[in-house]
Amino acid sequence: MADEQADERAGAKAGERAGGKALGLASVFPAARLADGVQFLVAVLGIEPTFVDGERWAQFDLGGARRALASGAESSGAAQVMVKVADAAATAERLSAAGYDVAGPVTGPHEVRFSVTGPDGWSVVGYQPL
């Protein structure tokens, strides 16, 4: 069984299973108060946010990279990596079958998302835009 899980994980890393390879990557940082975090990143990056969703989410796109702030229920309280996928349900199923701890998928106002925890305890959020 351990060998099968290792093989599944190898396939999962290569994006060779159902759900395919990642389509994009973003860093997400927690913000106790979204407005303060936005003000900080505007000052640091010198650009306005690309998208803001009330007091829960803001994102900045710069040079092909996305940085986002999450607040309230959208925040895990820790910095995370978000991976854009073509099929959130299939990717979550593939990672679960490979032996990883997967929560979701759940449907939010803009995406279907899931969280997967790796062997060192940090998580990645996979998402599929609606």
Side-chain angles (χ1 to χ4, degrees):
M1 179 71 169
D3 289 338
E4 289 175 11
Q5 285 184 341
D7 289 345
E8 285 292 318
R9 286 187 177 124
K13 290 177 186 171
E16 297 171 352
R17 302 281 189 253
K21 69 177 185 175
L23 302 176
L25 188 66
S27 302
V28 183
F29 300 93
R33 286 181 24 103
L34 191 68
D36 292 344
V38 167
Q39 183 178 0
F40 174 70
L41 281 184
V42 165
V44 169
L45 301 176
I47 62 170
E48 293 296 318
T50 309
F51 175 76
V52 176
D53 187 4
E55 287 294 317
R56 27 180 273 131
W57 183 266
Q59 64 193 40
F60 295 78
D61 296 322
L62 179 64
R66 175 166 289 165
R67 301 293 179 259
L69 299 171
S71 187
E74 291 298 311
S75 176
S76 69
Q80 292 183 307
V81 173
M82 290 191 68
V83 177
K84 183 178 181 180
V85 298
D87 187 333
T91 304
E93 184 177 318
R94 171 176 54 83
L95 292 167
S96 181
Y100 294 107
D101 182 22
V102 176
V106 296
T107 302
H110 307 287
E111 77 288 321
V112 177
R113 66 183 177 274
F114 64 90
S115 177
V116 58
T117 303
D120 293 314
W122 53 273
S123 65
V124 173
V125 175
Y127 74 99
Q128 172 189 347
L130 294 178

